Amino acid sequence: MTDDQGAPNEHADDPEEGVVRGDRFSGGPARGFMSSLAADERIFEADLAVDRAHVVMLTEQEIIDDDEAGEILGALDDVEAAGHGSLPDGEDVHEAIETAVIDRVGPVGGKMHTARSRNDEVATCIRHRLRDDLLDALVGVVEAREQLLDTASEHADTVMPGFTHLQYAQPITVGHYLVSYEQALARDTERLLAAFDRTNRSPLGGGAFGGTPFDIDRERTAELLGFESVLANSMDAVSTRDFLVESTSAMATLATTLSGLAEDLVVYAGRDYLEISDDYASTSSIMPQKKNPDSLEIVRARTGNATGSLQGLLTTLKGLPRSYNIDLQEATPHAWTAVDEVPAALDVAVGAVTTATWNEKVLAEEAGAGFSTATGVADLLAKAGVPFRTAHEVVANAAQTFEQTGETPSYETIAEAAEGVLDDPLDSYVDRGAVEDALDPEQSVAMRDSSGGPAPEAVEATLAEARDRLDDDRGAVDARREGIEAAESLLESEVASYD
Ligand code: ARG
């Protein structure tokens, strides 16, 4: 048997030689170092599916016969039942499963590796497994979006301070704030779906990298495994890990979104804007009064791991020559770290924000803090025909008074601030009631009813659109899941026909 290609060779009938993949170099101090068997537990089930689909195809193409297929497929069932932990030692799960099959049925088991290599095999297994992980993550993101929208709906008119540079900026509503994260998660959904679609392509049949002389049917194995299409060029098929980069990058981007949410909540909890539910908080071992938002600080930190995974992956892949190099084995776990940690962080971050109790009294008191209604007053003047820059100057004068006295400006303060800046007295542009409304945080929010703005009816409109988009996305995730499940049933029934 040659290293990568399982074509029959002169030792095929010799049990001593045929039992183990033709490894001339077994043993030695670097074996454990080179082995991926333990990490490959993650792709154990995927490898069995890939083996089954390959054997079914080889049989349909008359490369192996029905009886041989039946024996191999039966052995694969036994190997599955015994589990990954019962596999013999080997360089990786592919070799170990093949050895386990040969141990059960003898040299005929070696026919399973006809017309393929571990190189196309592992690439197929990673894609097969990653698809499921991406779909699970997508279900989590869709669910999180729904929770955010529901909570936003409940708080469509709860005013709160809005910040830029962590300084009081303009009053907004809690609903507006929460929808801002839902929208980010909607784009995370798009990125994950795109990553799924590019992952869902089959490299199987690429061989070591240079194809095979056997008359294989790559479309058929793709169909049996639920892949949407085949990666045509055999060299590209086995070499590329760009799908890992895209998936890990989508995860790292999602984690970055979550870190911002987590940071907001840490700040808000510190200012008493909300109380984190006990499930997401910890206390101090020494300071009995403390309720710390620890879960959110861990969410914030986990972003570092996801970013690290992406960096590690890209650095591993950089400069790799065509075609297969075993550096690729070291690339894979970076993606698993990201797909495990980020969805867990998502559940915690969104769980924390949607179970928190917003302190409406404090929020209302703070909503107009720092003269955050200033922009609304300038807008009011500009609406009356005063050039915005001039209106800005009027309100900047009032802001200066505010800085000196600490007293939130009244109509009188604004009128005084306008003297010398406007040609005529303030009340010839705007009436007192309108200015007082603009100075009121709730009215200030209501004024900003532009599309996507914080006014309650604008938030309701964004919410309605967001819900439609969420339904579409849920349908997109379900359709992909159904495609995979249909292929699983197909493969199962094809395999059963060899019983
Ligand atoms: N364990 C390897 C991986 O994860 C499988 C392919 C090994 N191929 C080889 N030529 N050594 O990439």
Side-chain angles (χ1 to χ4, degrees):
M1 215 180 268
T2 57
D3 185 20
D4 292 323
Q5 184 86 28
N9 66 26
E10 75 256 31
H11 302 302
D13 292 322
D14 178 345
E16 284 302 307
E17 292 286 336
V19 170
V20 181
R21 178 190 294 273
D23 190 347
R24 293 185 285 127
F25 308 121
S26 55
R31 291 295 124 194
F33 179 74
M34 292 190 288
S35 172
S36 62
L37 185 56
D40 287 346
E41 182 166 6
R42 181 128 191 167
I43 53 170
F44 175 66
E45 288 296 335
D47 194 68
L48 291 163
V50 171
D51 286 344
R52 288 173 176 130
H54 184 64
V55 168
V56 168
M57 182 278 292
L58 289 177
T59 318
E60 289 171 352
Q61 295 300 102
E62 298 178 355
I63 296 169
I64 64 175
D65 68 35
D66 283 15
D67 292 343
E68 292 167 334
E71 283 191 68
I72 296 169
L73 292 169
L76 286 172
D77 287 348
D78 287 353
V79 171
E80 182 170 32
H84 179 268
S86 304
L87 288 175
D89 270 352
E91 257 182 36
D92 55 33
V93 72
H94 322 292
E95 183 184 275
I97 289 180
E98 184 183 338
T99 304
V101 168
I102 293 170
D103 284 348
R104 282 167 174 76
V105 296
V108 68
K111 292 206 172 192
M112 180 171 78
H113 207 56
T114 310
R116 75 170 185 194
S117 150
R118 280 182 295 164
N119 297 353
D120 60 341
E121 186 181 357
V122 70
T124 313
C125 293
I126 300 167
R127 288 170 183 269
H128 193 278
R129 171 60 205 248
L130 183 60
R131 292 186 315 195
D132 287 342
D133 290 320
L134 290 172
L135 284 181
D136 288 347
L138 276 158
V139 168
V141 176
V142 163
E143 172 65 21
R145 285 167 60 191
E146 171 145 45
Q147 288 176 23
L148 284 171
L149 293 178
D150 288 348
T151 314
S153 238
E154 287 163 26
H155 289 288
D157 43 24
T158 306
V159 290
M160 70 175 283
F163 298 88
T164 60
H165 313 275
L166 270 183
Q167 311 265 340
Y168 296 113
Q170 288 183 291
I172 54 165
T173 64
V174 171
H176 189 236
Y177 165 77
L178 292 174
V179 176
S180 79
Y181 278 106
E182 189 281 334
Q183 306 271 287
L185 291 183
R187 288 189 301 280
D188 288 311
T189 309
E190 289 171 18
R191 278 184 281 271
L192 287 167
L193 283 170
F196 176 94
D197 289 344
R198 270 189 288 274
T199 297
N200 198 21
R201 298 175 188 179
S202 178
L204 197 60
F209 75 100
T212 169
F214 291 94
D215 178 26
I216 57 170
D217 184 345
R218 299 188 62 197
E219 268 72 26
R220 178 62 170 153
T221 44
E223 182 193 16
L224 291 168
L225 293 168
F227 288 109
E228 207 42 56
S229 60
V230 163
L231 290 159
N233 179 282
S234 61
M235 219 168 183
D236 172 51
V238 304
S239 310
T240 188
R241 293 294 184 272
D242 55 4
F243 67 101
L244 289 184
V245 173
E246 286 189 64
S247 302
T248 308
S249 166
M251 288 293 174
T253 309
L254 169 58
T256 306
T257 306
L258 297 176
S259 70
L261 172 61
E263 170 65 4
D264 281 342
L265 297 180
V266 170
V267 170
Y268 294 169
R271 292 173 177 231
D272 263 350
Y273 291 177
L274 51 75
E275 184 175 344
I276 304 280
S277 113
D278 293 357
D279 291 343
Y280 296 95
S282 297
T283 186
S284 157
S285 61
I286 175 168
M287 298 169 281
Q289 86 287 5
K290 294 285 297 236
K291 182 172 183 183
N292 297 325
D294 283 19
S295 64
L296 295 160
E297 292 169 20
I298 291 178
V299 168
R300 196 171 57 184
R302 284 282 163 90
T303 310
N305 299 3
T307 309
S309 295
L310 179 59
Q311 183 72 36
L313 179 59
L314 287 167
T315 310
T316 305
L317 298 179
K318 181 195 170 292
L320 284 186
R322 282 280 182 269
S323 57
Y324 182 85
N325 302 273
I326 205 158
D327 308 52
L328 295 177
Q329 176 174 290
E330 298 295 300
T332 316
H334 291 300
W336 301 142
T337 302
V339 298
D340 286 340
E341 290 197 3
V342 177
L346 171 72
D347 289 350
V348 170
V350 174
V353 71
T354 53
T355 56
T357 308
W358 293 86
N359 191 340
E360 298 190 17
K361 192 167 161 280
V362 174
L363 290 174
E365 281 161 14
E366 288 267 306
F371 188 23
S372 66
T373 51
T375 310
V377 178
D379 286 335
L380 185 71
L381 283 171
K383 278 180 109 174
V386 177
F388 183 79
R389 194 48 55 216
T390 311
H392 188 279
E393 200 184 325
V394 170
V395 185
N397 286 344
Q400 217 167 14
T401 314
F402 166 69
E403 268 168 30
Q404 285 153 8
T405 64
E407 267 175 49
T408 301
S410 60
Y411 174 80
E412 280 71 25
T413 327
I414 310 284
E416 212 171 296
E419 282 169 22
V421 182
L422 299 181
D423 297 335
D424 300 308
L426 183 66
D427 62 3
S428 60
Y429 299 88
V430 285
D431 61 37
R432 171 186 283 268
V435 174
E436 284 174 350
D437 275 354
L439 288 166
D440 174 62
E442 217 165 296
Q443 296 299 325
S444 169
V445 167
M447 279 168 65
R448 278 170 286 125
D449 59 356
S450 52
S451 162
E457 70 266 29
V459 171
E460 293 293 357
T462 313
L463 269 169
E465 278 169 28
R467 285 198 192 282
D468 286 347
R469 196 155 104 155
L470 184 60
D471 281 346
D472 290 349
D473 287 349
R474 194 177 274 119
V477 174
D478 289 348
R480 283 161 179 80
R481 179 86 79 192
E482 281 156 21
I484 289 177
E485 284 170 359
E488 279 166 3
S489 311
L490 173 66
L491 181 58
E492 209 175 300
S493 69
E494 292 295 352
V495 167
S497 70
Y498 293 91
D499 273 356

